[in-house]
Amino acid sequence: MLYVVTGPPAAGKSSWIQGHAGPRDIVIDLDLITRALTGPGAPGWNHDPLHQRVAQKARYAAIAEAEQLIDKLDVYLIHTLPKAKALIRYRRLGARIVEVDPGQDVVMARIDAMRSPEMKRVATRWYRERHTLKGTVRSAMPQSTGRW
């Protein structure tokens, strides 16, 4: 099964996955990929654009490979704000779309506390453009495994 986890920055998407994925599952999370590709002491968020560029290429490769395995294991993919074309592809694959959104006030406070100010722009765009999807699972609060 493919789970596409959407939501604004700092919503708790990674925490939701930590509460649902098992050790045999595949997790495709750009933050985790970037951390895996950078040296000790690199930030958990607010990555260098050059690091993100490499990590994004690795993410695309991971998605392409994982799509071939969704009948054998569960794949959790974070896609903050998928465009219509991506949603069509995910639906064709039988994906379950999960939206994690604790609310705009909570997200903005988390960004103030933990993320770069540019993430407010991304969060504002998410709230403006987000898609209301049939079959979307709405998770009002992230799992208790979060560090919030």
Side-chain angles (χ1 to χ4, degrees):
M1 167 66 80
L2 172 62
Y3 296 88
V4 178
V5 183
T6 70
K13 297 178 296 292
S14 296
S15 295
W16 188 91
I17 290 173
Q18 287 175 1
H20 290 83
R24 192 170 174 276
D25 298 333
I26 301 292
V27 175
I28 303 172
D29 176 337
L30 186 60
D31 288 333
L32 292 177
I33 294 169
T34 306
R35 278 184 241 151
L37 295 172
T38 54
W45 299 285
N46 306 329
H47 305 291
D48 181 287
L50 296 175
H51 295 155
Q52 279 192 308
R53 184 173 146 190
V54 173
Q56 193 66 263
K57 299 281 186 176
R59 178 181 177 268
Y60 293 140
I63 291 169
E65 189 62 28
E67 285 178 353
Q68 307 302 312
L69 303 173
I70 58 176
D71 60 332
K72 296 176 179 56
L73 46 77
D74 287 340
V75 175
Y76 292 82
L77 167 63
I78 292 179
H79 195 154
T80 297
L81 185 58
K83 301 282 187 210
K85 186 176 179 179
L87 289 170
I88 290 168
R89 188 174 97 239
Y90 297 148
R91 292 277 187 215
R92 193 173 41 238
L93 291 168
R96 184 168 182 192
I97 310 295
V98 178
E99 182 182 282
V100 179
D101 177 19
Q104 192 167 2
D105 292 341
V106 172
V107 165
M108 294 305 184
R110 289 176 180 175
I111 290 171
D112 283 339
M114 299 171 37
R115 305 285 176 98
S116 68
E118 299 89 52
M119 287 295 105
K120 279 193 165 185
R121 181 182 52 78
V122 177
T124 299
R125 184 172 141 234
W126 187 88
Y127 282 104
R128 187 177 61 243
E129 296 180 15
R130 80 189 229 209
H131 305 278
T132 303
L133 306 166
K134 288 182 183 177
T136 297
V137 175
R138 293 187 184 265
S139 178
M141 295 298 290
Q143 300 299 308
S144 61
T145 56
R147 289 173 256 159
W148 317 112

